[in-house]
PDB file of all heavy atoms in Angstrom:
ATOM      1  N   ILE A  34     -48.561  14.710 -18.137  1.00  0.00           N
ATOM      2  CA  ILE A  34     -47.173  15.167 -18.145  1.00  0.00           C
ATOM      3  C   ILE A  34     -46.602  15.043 -19.548  1.00  0.00           C
ATOM      4  O   ILE A  34     -46.732  14.005 -20.198  1.00  0.00           O
ATOM      5  CB  ILE A  34     -46.305  14.344 -17.182  1.00  0.00           C
ATOM      6  CG1 ILE A  34     -46.883  14.409 -15.758  1.00  0.00           C
ATOM      7  CG2 ILE A  34     -44.862  14.852 -17.200  1.00  0.00           C
ATOM      8  CD1 ILE A  34     -46.936  15.792 -15.169  1.00  0.00           C
ATOM      9  N   GLY A  35     -45.983  16.110 -19.975  1.00  0.00           N
ATOM     10  CA  GLY A  35     -45.309  16.103 -21.264  1.00  0.00           C
ATOM     11  C   GLY A  35     -43.820  16.291 -21.110  1.00  0.00           C
ATOM     12  O   GLY A  35     -43.368  16.996 -20.208  1.00  0.00           O
ATOM     13  N   TRP A  36     -43.088  15.631 -21.964  1.00  0.00           N
ATOM     14  CA  TRP A  36     -41.653  15.897 -22.096  1.00  0.00           C
ATOM     15  C   TRP A  36     -41.440  16.646 -23.404  1.00  0.00           C
ATOM     16  O   TRP A  36     -41.966  16.247 -24.450  1.00  0.00           O
ATOM     17  CB  TRP A  36     -40.841  14.605 -22.108  1.00  0.00           C
ATOM     18  CG  TRP A  36     -40.617  13.997 -20.774  1.00  0.00           C
ATOM     19  CD1 TRP A  36     -41.307  12.967 -20.204  1.00  0.00           C
ATOM     20  CD2 TRP A  36     -39.613  14.361 -19.825  1.00  0.00           C
ATOM     21  NE1 TRP A  36     -40.806  12.679 -18.953  1.00  0.00           N
ATOM     22  CE2 TRP A  36     -39.750  13.520 -18.702  1.00  0.00           C
ATOM     23  CE3 TRP A  36     -38.600  15.324 -19.793  1.00  0.00           C
ATOM     24  CZ2 TRP A  36     -38.936  13.598 -17.576  1.00  0.00           C
ATOM     25  CZ3 TRP A  36     -37.783  15.403 -18.684  1.00  0.00           C
ATOM     26  CH2 TRP A  36     -37.944  14.558 -17.583  1.00  0.00           C
ATOM     27  N   PHE A  37     -40.682  17.707 -23.326  1.00  0.00           N
ATOM     28  CA  PHE A  37     -40.334  18.527 -24.480  1.00  0.00           C
ATOM     29  C   PHE A  37     -38.820  18.630 -24.565  1.00  0.00           C
ATOM     30  O   PHE A  37     -38.114  18.370 -23.588  1.00  0.00           O
ATOM     31  CB  PHE A  37     -40.927  19.933 -24.331  1.00  0.00           C
ATOM     32  CG  PHE A  37     -42.432  19.979 -24.412  1.00  0.00           C
ATOM     33  CD1 PHE A  37     -43.208  19.616 -23.324  1.00  0.00           C
ATOM     34  CD2 PHE A  37     -43.062  20.379 -25.577  1.00  0.00           C
ATOM     35  CE1 PHE A  37     -44.598  19.647 -23.394  1.00  0.00           C
ATOM     36  CE2 PHE A  37     -44.446  20.417 -25.662  1.00  0.00           C
ATOM     37  CZ  PHE A  37     -45.206  20.057 -24.573  1.00  0.00           C
ATOM     38  N   ARG A  38     -38.345  19.054 -25.716  1.00  0.00           N
ATOM     39  CA  ARG A  38     -36.917  19.323 -25.860  1.00  0.00           C
ATOM     40  C   ARG A  38     -36.720  20.522 -26.776  1.00  0.00           C
ATOM     41  O   ARG A  38     -37.555  20.820 -27.624  1.00  0.00           O
ATOM     42  CB  ARG A  38     -36.168  18.106 -26.386  1.00  0.00           C
ATOM     43  CG  ARG A  38     -36.524  17.693 -27.814  1.00  0.00           C
ATOM     44  CD  ARG A  38     -35.826  16.383 -28.152  1.00  0.00           C
ATOM     45  NE  ARG A  38     -36.106  15.958 -29.512  1.00  0.00           N
ATOM     46  CZ  ARG A  38     -35.718  14.798 -30.033  1.00  0.00           C
ATOM     47  NH1 ARG A  38     -35.025  13.925 -29.280  1.00  0.00           N
ATOM     48  NH2 ARG A  38     -36.004  14.491 -31.278  1.00  0.00           N
ATOM     49  N   GLU A  46     -40.022  21.332 -28.974  1.00  0.00           N
ATOM     50  CA  GLU A  46     -40.860  20.322 -29.590  1.00  0.00           C
ATOM     51  C   GLU A  46     -41.309  19.281 -28.574  1.00  0.00           C
ATOM     52  O   GLU A  46     -40.571  18.941 -27.643  1.00  0.00           O
ATOM     53  CB  GLU A  46     -40.124  19.611 -30.746  1.00  0.00           C
ATOM     54  CG  GLU A  46     -38.926  18.809 -30.341  1.00  0.00           C
ATOM     55  CD  GLU A  46     -38.401  17.892 -31.440  1.00  0.00           C
ATOM     56  OE1 GLU A  46     -39.179  17.551 -32.362  1.00  0.00           O
ATOM     57  OE2 GLU A  46     -37.223  17.503 -31.370  1.00  0.00           O
ATOM     58  N   GLY A  47     -42.523  18.790 -28.764  1.00  0.00           N
ATOM     59  CA  GLY A  47     -43.033  17.750 -27.883  1.00  0.00           C
ATOM     60  C   GLY A  47     -42.390  16.413 -28.195  1.00  0.00           C
ATOM     61  O   GLY A  47     -42.256  16.046 -29.355  1.00  0.00           O
ATOM     62  N   VAL A  48     -41.979  15.709 -27.161  1.00  0.00           N
ATOM     63  CA  VAL A  48     -41.331  14.411 -27.302  1.00  0.00           C
ATOM     64  C   VAL A  48     -42.293  13.288 -26.920  1.00  0.00           C
ATOM     65  O   VAL A  48     -42.421  12.304 -27.645  1.00  0.00           O
ATOM     66  CB  VAL A  48     -40.075  14.350 -26.418  1.00  0.00           C
ATOM     67  CG1 VAL A  48     -39.474  12.950 -26.413  1.00  0.00           C
ATOM     68  CG2 VAL A  48     -39.051  15.378 -26.865  1.00  0.00           C
ATOM     69  N   SER A  49     -42.960  13.453 -25.788  1.00  0.00           N
ATOM     70  CA  SER A  49     -43.843  12.401 -25.306  1.00  0.00           C
ATOM     71  C   SER A  49     -44.831  12.971 -24.315  1.00  0.00           C
ATOM     72  O   SER A  49     -44.601  14.030 -23.730  1.00  0.00           O
ATOM     73  CB  SER A  49     -43.016  11.293 -24.642  1.00  0.00           C
ATOM     74  OG  SER A  49     -43.840  10.214 -24.250  1.00  0.00           O
ATOM     75  N   CYS A  50     -45.931  12.255 -24.131  1.00  0.00           N
ATOM     76  CA  CYS A  50     -46.993  12.693 -23.220  1.00  0.00           C
ATOM     77  C   CYS A  50     -47.582  11.474 -22.541  1.00  0.00           C
ATOM     78  O   CYS A  50     -47.711  10.423 -23.184  1.00  0.00           O
ATOM     79  CB  CYS A  50     -48.064  13.424 -24.025  1.00  0.00           C
ATOM     80  SG  CYS A  50     -49.457  14.052 -23.073  1.00  0.00           S
ATOM     81  N   ILE A  51     -47.909  11.600 -21.263  1.00  0.00           N
ATOM     82  CA  ILE A  51     -48.592  10.525 -20.554  1.00  0.00           C
ATOM     83  C   ILE A  51     -49.789  11.101 -19.830  1.00  0.00           C
ATOM     84  O   ILE A  51     -49.680  12.111 -19.138  1.00  0.00           O
ATOM     85  CB  ILE A  51     -47.629   9.780 -19.597  1.00  0.00           C
ATOM     86  CG1 ILE A  51     -48.321   8.559 -18.978  1.00  0.00           C
ATOM     87  CG2 ILE A  51     -47.060  10.699 -18.518  1.00  0.00           C
ATOM     88  CD1 ILE A  51     -47.348   7.585 -18.316  1.00  0.00           C
ATOM     89  N   SER A  52     -50.923  10.486 -20.016  1.00  0.00           N
ATOM     90  CA  SER A  52     -52.165  11.011 -19.454  1.00  0.00           C
ATOM     91  C   SER A  52     -52.287  10.722 -17.973  1.00  0.00           C
ATOM     92  O   SER A  52     -51.646   9.822 -17.440  1.00  0.00           O
ATOM     93  CB  SER A  52     -53.358  10.413 -20.198  1.00  0.00           C
ATOM     94  OG  SER A  52     -53.435  10.912 -21.504  1.00  0.00           O
ATOM     95  N   GLY A  56     -52.928   6.367 -18.099  1.00  0.00           N
ATOM     96  CA  GLY A  56     -51.525   6.202 -18.464  1.00  0.00           C
ATOM     97  C   GLY A  56     -51.290   6.108 -19.952  1.00  0.00           C
ATOM     98  O   GLY A  56     -50.218   5.674 -20.387  1.00  0.00           O
ATOM     99  N   ASN A  57     -52.287   6.528 -20.741  1.00  0.00           N
ATOM    100  CA  ASN A  57     -52.115   6.528 -22.191  1.00  0.00           C
ATOM    101  C   ASN A  57     -50.926   7.391 -22.581  1.00  0.00           C
ATOM    102  O   ASN A  57     -50.693   8.441 -21.981  1.00  0.00           O
ATOM    103  CB  ASN A  57     -53.381   7.061 -22.845  1.00  0.00           C
ATOM    104  CG  ASN A  57     -53.305   7.037 -24.356  1.00  0.00           C
ATOM    105  OD1 ASN A  57     -52.942   8.025 -24.974  1.00  0.00           O
ATOM    106  ND2 ASN A  57     -53.608   5.894 -24.928  1.00  0.00           N
ATOM    107  N   THR A  58     -50.174   6.944 -23.585  1.00  0.00           N
ATOM    108  CA  THR A  58     -48.947   7.653 -23.959  1.00  0.00           C
ATOM    109  C   THR A  58     -48.934   8.016 -25.436  1.00  0.00           C
ATOM    110  O   THR A  58     -49.536   7.328 -26.274  1.00  0.00           O
ATOM    111  CB  THR A  58     -47.713   6.788 -23.649  1.00  0.00           C
ATOM    112  OG1 THR A  58     -47.818   5.549 -24.363  1.00  0.00           O
ATOM    113  CG2 THR A  58     -47.594   6.503 -22.162  1.00  0.00           C
ATOM    114  N   ASN A  59     -48.240   9.111 -25.739  1.00  0.00           N
ATOM    115  CA  ASN A  59     -47.977   9.540 -27.110  1.00  0.00           C
ATOM    116  C   ASN A  59     -46.487   9.769 -27.263  1.00  0.00           C
ATOM    117  O   ASN A  59     -45.812  10.161 -26.296  1.00  0.00           O
ATOM    118  CB  ASN A  59     -48.696  10.863 -27.412  1.00  0.00           C
ATOM    119  CG  ASN A  59     -50.173  10.684 -27.688  1.00  0.00           C
ATOM    120  OD1 ASN A  59     -50.678   9.569 -27.695  1.00  0.00           O
ATOM    121  ND2 ASN A  59     -50.866  11.780 -27.912  1.00  0.00           N
ATOM    122  N   TYR A  60     -45.998   9.594 -28.494  1.00  0.00           N
ATOM    123  CA  TYR A  60     -44.588   9.846 -28.785  1.00  0.00           C
ATOM    124  C   TYR A  60     -44.457  10.565 -30.122  1.00  0.00           C
ATOM    125  O   TYR A  60     -45.202  10.293 -31.052  1.00  0.00           O
ATOM    126  CB  TYR A  60     -43.797   8.536 -28.853  1.00  0.00           C
ATOM    127  CG  TYR A  60     -43.778   7.772 -27.561  1.00  0.00           C
ATOM    128  CD1 TYR A  60     -44.708   6.787 -27.288  1.00  0.00           C
ATOM    129  CD2 TYR A  60     -42.809   8.049 -26.593  1.00  0.00           C
ATOM    130  CE1 TYR A  60     -44.697   6.092 -26.083  1.00  0.00           C
ATOM    131  CE2 TYR A  60     -42.787   7.354 -25.391  1.00  0.00           C
ATOM    132  CZ  TYR A  60     -43.740   6.386 -25.147  1.00  0.00           C
ATOM    133  OH  TYR A  60     -43.729   5.706 -23.964  1.00  0.00           O
ATOM    134  N   ALA A  61     -43.466  11.433 -30.193  1.00  0.00           N
ATOM    135  CA  ALA A  61     -43.104  12.006 -31.483  1.00  0.00           C
ATOM    136  C   ALA A  61     -42.539  10.891 -32.361  1.00  0.00           C
ATOM    137  O   ALA A  61     -41.909   9.950 -31.870  1.00  0.00           O
ATOM    138  CB  ALA A  61     -42.070  13.110 -31.291  1.00  0.00           C
ATOM    139  N   ASP A  62     -42.762  11.023 -33.666  1.00  0.00           N
ATOM    140  CA  ASP A  62     -42.277   9.991 -34.588  1.00  0.00           C
ATOM    141  C   ASP A  62     -40.770   9.784 -34.462  1.00  0.00           C
ATOM    142  O   ASP A  62     -40.275   8.662 -34.623  1.00  0.00           O
ATOM    143  CB  ASP A  62     -42.630  10.369 -36.021  1.00  0.00           C
ATOM    144  CG  ASP A  62     -44.115  10.225 -36.326  1.00  0.00           C
ATOM    145  OD1 ASP A  62     -44.818   9.535 -35.552  1.00  0.00           O
ATOM    146  OD2 ASP A  62     -44.571  10.817 -37.318  1.00  0.00           O
ATOM    147  N   SER A  63     -40.051  10.862 -34.172  1.00  0.00           N
ATOM    148  CA  SER A  63     -38.588  10.797 -34.128  1.00  0.00           C
ATOM    149  C   SER A  63     -38.063   9.954 -32.967  1.00  0.00           C
ATOM    150  O   SER A  63     -36.895   9.563 -32.980  1.00  0.00           O
ATOM    151  CB  SER A  63     -38.003  12.204 -34.045  1.00  0.00           C
ATOM    152  OG  SER A  63     -38.505  12.873 -32.907  1.00  0.00           O
ATOM    153  N   VAL A  64     -38.916   9.678 -31.964  1.00  0.00           N
ATOM    154  CA  VAL A  64     -38.435   8.921 -30.799  1.00  0.00           C
ATOM    155  C   VAL A  64     -39.188   7.612 -30.578  1.00  0.00           C
ATOM    156  O   VAL A  64     -38.848   6.852 -29.668  1.00  0.00           O
ATOM    157  CB  VAL A  64     -38.509   9.775 -29.515  1.00  0.00           C
ATOM    158  CG1 VAL A  64     -37.770  11.087 -29.704  1.00  0.00           C
ATOM    159  CG2 VAL A  64     -39.939  10.014 -29.076  1.00  0.00           C
ATOM    160  N   LYS A  65     -40.189   7.346 -31.397  1.00  0.00           N
ATOM    161  CA  LYS A  65     -40.976   6.115 -31.241  1.00  0.00           C
ATOM    162  C   LYS A  65     -40.075   4.892 -31.320  1.00  0.00           C
ATOM    163  O   LYS A  65     -39.218   4.784 -32.199  1.00  0.00           O
ATOM    164  CB  LYS A  65     -42.060   6.028 -32.311  1.00  0.00           C
ATOM    165  CG  LYS A  65     -43.308   6.799 -31.989  1.00  0.00           C
ATOM    166  CD  LYS A  65     -44.350   6.652 -33.078  1.00  0.00           C
ATOM    167  CE  LYS A  65     -45.569   7.501 -32.792  1.00  0.00           C
ATOM    168  NZ  LYS A  65     -46.561   7.458 -33.894  1.00  0.00           N
ATOM    169  N   GLY A  66     -40.300   3.975 -30.402  1.00  0.00           N
ATOM    170  CA  GLY A  66     -39.500   2.761 -30.367  1.00  0.00           C
ATOM    171  C   GLY A  66     -38.189   2.902 -29.625  1.00  0.00           C
ATOM    172  O   GLY A  66     -37.516   1.902 -29.363  1.00  0.00           O
ATOM    173  N   ARG A  67     -37.804   4.130 -29.285  1.00  0.00           N
ATOM    174  CA  ARG A  67     -36.547   4.356 -28.562  1.00  0.00           C
ATOM    175  C   ARG A  67     -36.777   4.932 -27.176  1.00  0.00           C
ATOM    176  O   ARG A  67     -36.023   4.647 -26.248  1.00  0.00           O
ATOM    177  CB  ARG A  67     -35.650   5.314 -29.365  1.00  0.00           C
ATOM    178  CG  ARG A  67     -35.275   4.812 -30.732  1.00  0.00           C
ATOM    179  CD  ARG A  67     -34.232   5.702 -31.384  1.00  0.00           C
ATOM    180  NE  ARG A  67     -34.694   7.067 -31.605  1.00  0.00           N
ATOM    181  CZ  ARG A  67     -34.103   8.153 -31.100  1.00  0.00           C
ATOM    182  NH1 ARG A  67     -33.022   8.036 -30.347  1.00  0.00           N
ATOM    183  NH2 ARG A  67     -34.591   9.356 -31.371  1.00  0.00           N
ATOM    184  N   PHE A  68     -37.806   5.768 -27.024  1.00  0.00           N
ATOM    185  CA  PHE A  68     -38.093   6.423 -25.745  1.00  0.00           C
ATOM    186  C   PHE A  68     -39.343   5.816 -25.131  1.00  0.00           C
ATOM    187  O   PHE A  68     -40.274   5.431 -25.837  1.00  0.00           O
ATOM    188  CB  PHE A  68     -38.327   7.917 -25.943  1.00  0.00           C
ATOM    189  CG  PHE A  68     -37.111   8.732 -26.315  1.00  0.00           C
ATOM    190  CD1 PHE A  68     -35.924   8.132 -26.704  1.00  0.00           C
ATOM    191  CD2 PHE A  68     -37.166  10.119 -26.283  1.00  0.00           C
ATOM    192  CE1 PHE A  68     -34.810   8.880 -27.045  1.00  0.00           C
ATOM    193  CE2 PHE A  68     -36.073  10.894 -26.626  1.00  0.00           C
ATOM    194  CZ  PHE A  68     -34.891  10.272 -27.002  1.00  0.00           C
ATOM    195  N   THR A  69     -39.361   5.768 -23.803  1.00  0.00           N
ATOM    196  CA  THR A  69     -40.531   5.276 -23.075  1.00  0.00           C
ATOM    197  C   THR A  69     -40.820   6.204 -21.909  1.00  0.00           C
ATOM    198  O   THR A  69     -39.938   6.462 -21.083  1.00  0.00           O
ATOM    199  CB  THR A  69     -40.294   3.857 -22.539  1.00  0.00           C
ATOM    200  OG1 THR A  69     -39.968   2.978 -23.616  1.00  0.00           O
ATOM    201  CG2 THR A  69     -41.557   3.337 -21.848  1.00  0.00           C
ATOM    202  N   ILE A  70     -42.049   6.689 -21.861  1.00  0.00           N
ATOM    203  CA  ILE A  70     -42.473   7.541 -20.752  1.00  0.00           C
ATOM    204  C   ILE A  70     -43.253   6.689 -19.754  1.00  0.00           C
ATOM    205  O   ILE A  70     -43.998   5.783 -20.146  1.00  0.00           O
ATOM    206  CB  ILE A  70     -43.329   8.730 -21.258  1.00  0.00           C
ATOM    207  CG1 ILE A  70     -43.558   9.744 -20.144  1.00  0.00           C
ATOM    208  CG2 ILE A  70     -44.633   8.262 -21.872  1.00  0.00           C
ATOM    209  CD1 ILE A  70     -44.205  11.050 -20.639  1.00  0.00           C
ATOM    210  N   SER A  71     -43.071   6.974 -18.479  1.00  0.00           N
ATOM    211  CA  SER A  71     -43.803   6.247 -17.449  1.00  0.00           C
ATOM    212  C   SER A  71     -44.003   7.168 -16.251  1.00  0.00           C
ATOM    213  O   SER A  71     -43.344   8.206 -16.146  1.00  0.00           O
ATOM    214  CB  SER A  71     -43.063   4.972 -17.029  1.00  0.00           C
ATOM    215  OG  SER A  71     -41.792   5.279 -16.482  1.00  0.00           O
ATOM    216  N   ARG A  72     -44.912   6.775 -15.376  1.00  0.00           N
ATOM    217  CA  ARG A  72     -45.160   7.603 -14.204  1.00  0.00           C
ATOM    218  C   ARG A  72     -45.319   6.724 -12.979  1.00  0.00           C
ATOM    219  O   ARG A  72     -45.811   5.599 -13.062  1.00  0.00           O
ATOM    220  CB  ARG A  72     -46.387   8.492 -14.390  1.00  0.00           C
ATOM    221  CG  ARG A  72     -47.702   7.769 -14.561  1.00  0.00           C
ATOM    222  CD  ARG A  72     -48.801   8.737 -15.011  1.00  0.00           C
ATOM    223  NE  ARG A  72     -49.013   9.815 -14.061  1.00  0.00           N
ATOM    224  CZ  ARG A  72     -49.484  11.023 -14.390  1.00  0.00           C
ATOM    225  NH1 ARG A  72     -49.796  11.297 -15.641  1.00  0.00           N
ATOM    226  NH2 ARG A  72     -49.663  11.942 -13.469  1.00  0.00           N
ATOM    227  N   VAL A  79     -42.357  11.370 -12.861  1.00  0.00           N
ATOM    228  CA  VAL A  79     -42.499  10.831 -14.213  1.00  0.00           C
ATOM    229  C   VAL A  79     -41.103  10.622 -14.784  1.00  0.00           C
ATOM    230  O   VAL A  79     -40.184  11.394 -14.484  1.00  0.00           O
ATOM    231  CB  VAL A  79     -43.321  11.792 -15.099  1.00  0.00           C
ATOM    232  CG1 VAL A  79     -43.327  11.331 -16.547  1.00  0.00           C
ATOM    233  CG2 VAL A  79     -44.747  11.885 -14.569  1.00  0.00           C
ATOM    234  N   TYR A  80     -40.969   9.575 -15.602  1.00  0.00           N
ATOM    235  CA  TYR A  80     -39.675   9.220 -16.157  1.00  0.00           C
ATOM    236  C   TYR A  80     -39.721   9.228 -17.678  1.00  0.00           C
ATOM    237  O   TYR A  80     -40.768   9.021 -18.283  1.00  0.00           O
ATOM    238  CB  TYR A  80     -39.269   7.817 -15.684  1.00  0.00           C
ATOM    239  CG  TYR A  80     -39.261   7.665 -14.189  1.00  0.00           C
ATOM    240  CD1 TYR A  80     -40.353   7.122 -13.509  1.00  0.00           C
ATOM    241  CD2 TYR A  80     -38.167   8.074 -13.443  1.00  0.00           C
ATOM    242  CE1 TYR A  80     -40.356   6.984 -12.138  1.00  0.00           C
ATOM    243  CE2 TYR A  80     -38.159   7.939 -12.057  1.00  0.00           C
ATOM    244  CZ  TYR A  80     -39.266   7.399 -11.415  1.00  0.00           C
ATOM    245  OH  TYR A  80     -39.257   7.279 -10.048  1.00  0.00           O
ATOM    246  N   LEU A  81     -38.549   9.434 -18.273  1.00  0.00           N
ATOM    247  CA  LEU A  81     -38.391   9.265 -19.705  1.00  0.00           C
ATOM    248  C   LEU A  81     -37.145   8.419 -19.918  1.00  0.00           C
ATOM    249  O   LEU A  81     -36.024   8.900 -19.719  1.00  0.00           O
ATOM    250  CB  LEU A  81     -38.264  10.616 -20.418  1.00  0.00           C
ATOM    251  CG  LEU A  81     -38.208  10.532 -21.940  1.00  0.00           C
ATOM    252  CD1 LEU A  81     -39.571  10.076 -22.485  1.00  0.00           C
ATOM    253  CD2 LEU A  81     -37.822  11.874 -22.559  1.00  0.00           C
ATOM    254  N   GLN A  82     -37.365   7.169 -20.287  1.00  0.00           N
ATOM    255  CA  GLN A  82     -36.255   6.278 -20.608  1.00  0.00           C
ATOM    256  C   GLN A  82     -35.894   6.475 -22.066  1.00  0.00           C
ATOM    257  O   GLN A  82     -36.750   6.326 -22.948  1.00  0.00           O
ATOM    258  CB  GLN A  82     -36.662   4.826 -20.351  1.00  0.00           C
ATOM    259  CG  GLN A  82     -35.596   3.813 -20.713  1.00  0.00           C
ATOM    260  CD  GLN A  82     -34.374   3.895 -19.818  1.00  0.00           C
ATOM    261  OE1 GLN A  82     -34.493   4.037 -18.596  1.00  0.00           O
ATOM    262  NE2 GLN A  82     -33.183   3.813 -20.412  1.00  0.00           N
ATOM    263  N   MET A  83     -34.637   6.815 -22.308  1.00  0.00           N
ATOM    264  CA  MET A  83     -34.178   7.111 -23.662  1.00  0.00           C
ATOM    265  C   MET A  83     -33.100   6.110 -24.042  1.00  0.00           C
ATOM    266  O   MET A  83     -32.032   6.082 -23.412  1.00  0.00           O
ATOM    267  CB  MET A  83     -33.640   8.539 -23.740  1.00  0.00           C
ATOM    268  CG  MET A  83     -34.637   9.587 -23.250  1.00  0.00           C
ATOM    269  SD  MET A  83     -34.083  11.289 -23.528  1.00  0.00           S
ATOM    270  CE  MET A  83     -32.616  11.329 -22.520  1.00  0.00           C
ATOM    271  N   ASN A  84     -33.393   5.303 -25.040  1.00  0.00           N
ATOM    272  CA  ASN A  84     -32.438   4.302 -25.529  1.00  0.00           C
ATOM    273  C   ASN A  84     -32.023   4.619 -26.957  1.00  0.00           C
ATOM    274  O   ASN A  84     -32.670   5.405 -27.643  1.00  0.00           O
ATOM    275  CB  ASN A  84     -33.073   2.906 -25.472  1.00  0.00           C
ATOM    276  CG  ASN A  84     -33.451   2.485 -24.070  1.00  0.00           C
ATOM    277  OD1 ASN A  84     -32.802   2.863 -23.096  1.00  0.00           O
ATOM    278  ND2 ASN A  84     -34.501   1.691 -23.944  1.00  0.00           N
ATOM    279  N   TYR A  94     -33.949  19.122 -22.194  1.00  0.00           N
ATOM    280  CA  TYR A  94     -35.212  18.418 -22.041  1.00  0.00           C
ATOM    281  C   TYR A  94     -35.978  19.003 -20.860  1.00  0.00           C
ATOM    282  O   TYR A  94     -35.423  19.196 -19.771  1.00  0.00           O
ATOM    283  CB  TYR A  94     -34.969  16.929 -21.825  1.00  0.00           C
ATOM    284  CG  TYR A  94     -34.628  16.211 -23.111  1.00  0.00           C
ATOM    285  CD1 TYR A  94     -33.395  16.410 -23.730  1.00  0.00           C
ATOM    286  CD2 TYR A  94     -35.536  15.345 -23.712  1.00  0.00           C
ATOM    287  CE1 TYR A  94     -33.093  15.768 -24.925  1.00  0.00           C
ATOM    288  CE2 TYR A  94     -35.239  14.688 -24.900  1.00  0.00           C
ATOM    289  CZ  TYR A  94     -34.012  14.919 -25.500  1.00  0.00           C
ATOM    290  OH  TYR A  94     -33.717  14.279 -26.685  1.00  0.00           O
ATOM    291  N   CYS A 107     -53.692  13.496 -23.406  1.00  0.00           N
ATOM    292  CA  CYS A 107     -52.724  13.128 -24.439  1.00  0.00           C
ATOM    293  C   CYS A 107     -53.416  12.582 -25.680  1.00  0.00           C
ATOM    294  O   CYS A 107     -53.030  12.888 -26.811  1.00  0.00           O
ATOM    295  CB  CYS A 107     -51.727  12.105 -23.895  1.00  0.00           C
ATOM    296  SG  CYS A 107     -50.754  12.711 -22.520  1.00  0.00           S
ATOM    297  N   SER A 108     -54.445  11.776 -25.485  1.00  0.00           N
ATOM    298  CA  SER A 108     -55.161  11.214 -26.630  1.00  0.00           C
ATOM    299  C   SER A 108     -56.002  12.258 -27.338  1.00  0.00           C
ATOM    300  O   SER A 108     -56.065  12.292 -28.560  1.00  0.00           O
ATOM    301  CB  SER A 108     -56.069  10.064 -26.172  1.00  0.00           C
ATOM    302  OG  SER A 108     -55.312   8.963 -25.752  1.00  0.00           O
ATOM    303  N   TYR A 110     -55.726  15.656 -27.243  1.00  0.00           N
ATOM    304  CA  TYR A 110     -55.072  16.869 -27.711  1.00  0.00           C
ATOM    305  C   TYR A 110     -53.641  16.647 -28.183  1.00  0.00           C
ATOM    306  O   TYR A 110     -52.993  17.587 -28.635  1.00  0.00           O
ATOM    307  CB  TYR A 110     -55.077  17.926 -26.600  1.00  0.00           C
ATOM    308  CG  TYR A 110     -56.479  18.375 -26.234  1.00  0.00           C
ATOM    309  CD1 TYR A 110     -57.162  17.768 -25.186  1.00  0.00           C
ATOM    310  CD2 TYR A 110     -57.107  19.383 -26.939  1.00  0.00           C
ATOM    311  CE1 TYR A 110     -58.448  18.162 -24.856  1.00  0.00           C
ATOM    312  CE2 TYR A 110     -58.390  19.787 -26.611  1.00  0.00           C
ATOM    313  CZ  TYR A 110     -59.053  19.178 -25.576  1.00  0.00           C
ATOM    314  OH  TYR A 110     -60.327  19.568 -25.254  1.00  0.00           O
ATOM    315  N   GLY A 111     -53.138  15.450 -28.069  1.00  0.00           N
ATOM    316  CA  GLY A 111     -51.802  15.143 -28.562  1.00  0.00           C
ATOM    317  C   GLY A 111     -50.702  15.389 -27.553  1.00  0.00           C
ATOM    318  O   GLY A 111     -49.737  14.631 -27.491  1.00  0.00           O
ATOM    319  N   GLY A 112     -50.828  16.445 -26.782  1.00  0.00           N
ATOM    320  CA  GLY A 112     -49.857  16.712 -25.736  1.00  0.00           C
ATOM    321  C   GLY A 112     -48.610  17.437 -26.171  1.00  0.00           C
ATOM    322  O   GLY A 112     -47.690  17.601 -25.374  1.00  0.00           O
ATOM    323  N   ALA A 113     -48.554  17.921 -27.404  1.00  0.00           N
ATOM    324  CA  ALA A 113     -47.321  18.519 -27.916  1.00  0.00           C
ATOM    325  C   ALA A 113     -47.374  20.038 -28.034  1.00  0.00           C
ATOM    326  O   ALA A 113     -46.476  20.624 -28.651  1.00  0.00           O
ATOM    327  CB  ALA A 113     -46.980  17.912 -29.275  1.00  0.00           C
ATOM    328  N   TYR A 118     -49.705  23.802 -21.210  1.00  0.00           N
ATOM    329  CA  TYR A 118     -49.225  23.300 -19.931  1.00  0.00           C
ATOM    330  C   TYR A 118     -49.193  24.365 -18.853  1.00  0.00           C
ATOM    331  O   TYR A 118     -48.955  25.540 -19.129  1.00  0.00           O
ATOM    332  CB  TYR A 118     -47.849  22.654 -20.108  1.00  0.00           C
ATOM    333  CG  TYR A 118     -47.951  21.333 -20.826  1.00  0.00           C
ATOM    334  CD1 TYR A 118     -48.055  21.279 -22.213  1.00  0.00           C
ATOM    335  CD2 TYR A 118     -47.984  20.131 -20.112  1.00  0.00           C
ATOM    336  CE1 TYR A 118     -48.181  20.065 -22.870  1.00  0.00           C
ATOM    337  CE2 TYR A 118     -48.105  18.914 -20.773  1.00  0.00           C
ATOM    338  CZ  TYR A 118     -48.208  18.890 -22.153  1.00  0.00           C
ATOM    339  OH  TYR A 118     -48.337  17.692 -22.805  1.00  0.00           O
TER     340      TYR A 118
END
Side-chain angles (χ1 to χ4, degrees):
I34 303 299
W36 281 99
F37 292 79
R38 66 186 181 186
E46 65 168 338
V48 173
S49 184
C50 180
I51 186 165
S52 290
N57 182 266
T58 58
N59 282 358
Y60 297 93
D62 288 343
S63 58
V64 306
K65 277 181 184 176
R67 300 188 298 121
F68 290 12
T69 303
I70 190 171
S71 61
R72 63 191 300 153
V79 173
Y80 304 97
L81 185 69
Q82 177 67 43
M83 306 187 297
N84 299 328
Y94 283 71
C107 298
S108 291
Y110 296 94
Y118 287 81

